[in-house]
Structure formats: C-alpha cells, structure tokens
Amino acid sequence: MKFAAIDIGSNGARMQISSVLHDEENIRFKKVEYVRFPLRLGHDVFTEGQISSFSEDRMMKLMLAYQLLMELHEIDDYMACATSAMREAENGLEVRGRIEQRTGIHIQIIDGQREAELVNNVVVQSLGEGQYLHIDVGGGSTELNVYSDKKKIKAKSFKLGSVRLLEGTESKGSWKKMKEWIEEHVDTQQPVKAVGTGGNINKLFDLSSKLTESSTSRAEIERMHQYIGDFSLEDRINKLQLNPDRADVILPAGDIYLSAMKWAGAEVIFVPDVGLKDGMLQLLYERSCRRKKK
C-alpha cells in the first residue's frame, strides 16, 4: 500500500508519499517521495487577512504537481490538510474550492484541536512514563499538550507561531496566556520533559550536540539559538546553509520552544522527527484497515 499526506502550513507546504511495511508485530512507513515548497501563506493572511492571487497561483501549481506525483506513484489513498493560515484567510474556502475543481485534491481546513490530535497520535508512541509537555510550533499557531504516563490530560492552541512573530502579528497577550496556561497545567513539583515537533526544532536539534539519538538539553538549544542569532540572515543562508524560508523563522520559533520549556521547568527535550504528515499517514492506514474488515 502507498499513501500520500499533504500538509499545507503557514510557512511551507509538504507532501510525503510512503509505502507501508509490515513485520511480525509492527507496521512502518517508508518514505518514497517528499516534496516541500515555501508557499508562505501566512505572510499574506497574517498581514492582509487573505490569500493573494499570486500565492493562490503558486499553490495551484504546487497542487497540480502533487496530483501528478500521486498518479505516478499509484497511491491507494491520500489526505490533504491546511492549518492556521488557510483557516483564518477570508477567502480560504473560495481558494480551496478553485483548487479542488482544477486538481481534484480535496483540502480539509482543520482547526487547532484536530491538528493536535493528528500529531499526538504519532507523538505518543515515542513517550515514556512520567510527565511530558509536547510543544508543536507552526507558522501560525503553537499547540501545547500535557501528558502523564502516555495519557494526554490537557491541550491548548495559541495564536503564536514563527511567521506571526516574524510579521509582528501575534495575538495580543499571547505570550502571557501561554505562560499562565503552562504554569497552571504542568505540575512543576514533578519532573517534566519536553517533546518538540515542527521543522524549526528539527533543524535546531540537527545542529545541536545530542544527549541521546533523539534528545538534547534546553541549554544546548539555547546555545544553538544564540549561535544562529549571531549570523546575519544572509550568512544563515550562505554559511549555515539554511533554506531562506527557514533562516528567517528559526529564531522566533526557537523563542517559543525555549520559553515554553523554561516556564515548565523542562531541562531536556525529545525531538522524534514526526509531525502532521505522519499523523495523516497513520490515519490513512487505519482507515484502509477498517475498510478491509467491512
């Protein structure tokens, strides 16, 4: 079986096509195609309130490319989700309709709760016992989830994201609200570890020294954050070899991860390198299994 997951975020859009591998006890997804493109929908939406005709044209071309790749790979099923930028755009539904009419790709515009659920379905598989704060930073929103012994006990979405911070359009009082929520729902009398998902924490983690294969310290993330901040935007692109659409948002995204960890008292962060697309692939597999049983 092959499935395709399309994640249309506020900064970039990505499609992953994976085949399903089975062993005696587990299923695994093997990536066979991955295409990411910096649409930057959040730049339009968070400043002007709608998707521009220029961005819609680029999005249309990208969806046509995705549609052709899905045909070539002969996928069994797909899922396409758009997050904060499209759900806040005044013309989001109209843009979605025109794209579906031309490409046949149906885009689900999902809310923060649904986004968090899909990510959590794969994140929980990497958790151990104890208390965890899951921090998922996107271009337009940050989803926080508190886990105790692998069970989610609290969740909240905040209009605070890397592109919003870059554009200076974060909602009023969002930092204060996030701090108060963490202080209320994380038990600081008990040890807490952070779990980070999102492209920016993945890049910070890749550049940092590791504690284990999948974890590092808050101090190390702080060190790398400061190191990157000492470079100009041009040097981040040319010397650190960051993609242009990563080079400008990685610092504001890092501010969110580090602030959340500080407020929670988390000294260690796990970075399992999973996200919304992985949650979609898991859902597609489960949906396929249910259909076969009927």
Side-chain angles (χ1 to χ4, degrees), residues 45-73:
V45 177
F46 303 145
T47 56
E48 304 296 332
Q50 61 182 1
I51 297 168
S52 67
S53 57
F54 173 75
S55 292
E56 180 180 345
D57 182 60
R58 296 208 308 167
M59 187 175 176
M60 184 73 77
K61 291 174 181 176
L62 183 62
M63 293 303 114
L64 285 168
Y66 285 173
Q67 191 268 339
L68 287 172
L69 281 171
M70 289 192 290
E71 278 191 17
L72 286 168
H73 281 282

Side-chain angles (χ1 to χ4, degrees), residues 123 125-128 132 193-197 201-202 204-206 208-218 221 261 268-274:
V123 166
Q125 299 172 24
S126 65
L127 301 183
Y132 288 84
K193 297 174 183 177
V195 179
T197 52
I201 193 62
N202 287 340
L204 283 166
F205 179 73
D206 286 344
S208 300
S209 298
K210 314 295 191 293
L211 292 173
T212 68
E213 187 177 325
S214 60
S215 71
T216 190
S217 66
R218 187 176 90 204
I221 294 294
M261 290 181 71
V268 172
I269 184 166
F270 289 84
V271 185
D273 193 20
V274 296

Side-chain angles (χ1 to χ4, degrees), residues 133 135 160 175 178-179 182 218 222 252-266:
L133 174 65
I135 311 161
L160 188 66
W175 284 109
M178 181 183 289
K179 182 176 186 289
I182 291 173
R218 187 176 90 204
E222 286 177 342
D255 288 334
I256 300 175
Y257 288 107
L258 288 168
S259 296
M261 290 181 71
K262 179 182 176 182
W263 295 331

Side-chain angles (χ1 to χ4, degrees), residues 151-217:
K151 293 182 180 179
K152 186 168 70 173
I153 56 176
K154 291 291 179 181
K156 182 73 173 178
S157 180
F158 297 87
K159 286 188 176 181
L160 188 66
S162 60
V163 177
R164 282 192 202 274
L165 288 177
L166 187 68
E167 302 290 348
T169 57
E170 66 272 20
S171 61
K172 187 176 180 180
S174 52
W175 284 109
K176 184 173 182 286
K177 291 175 183 176
M178 181 183 289
K179 182 176 186 289
E180 291 175 345
W181 188 88
I182 291 173
E183 291 175 345
E184 180 181 355
H185 297 294
V186 174
D187 183 359
T188 56
Q189 301 303 310
Q190 301 292 329
V192 58
K193 297 174 183 177
V195 179
T197 52
N200 289 296
I201 193 62
N202 287 340
K203 179 55 66 175
L204 283 166
F205 179 73
D206 286 344
L207 296 171
S208 300
S209 298
K210 314 295 191 293
L211 292 173
T212 68
E213 187 177 325
S214 60
S215 71
T216 190
S217 66

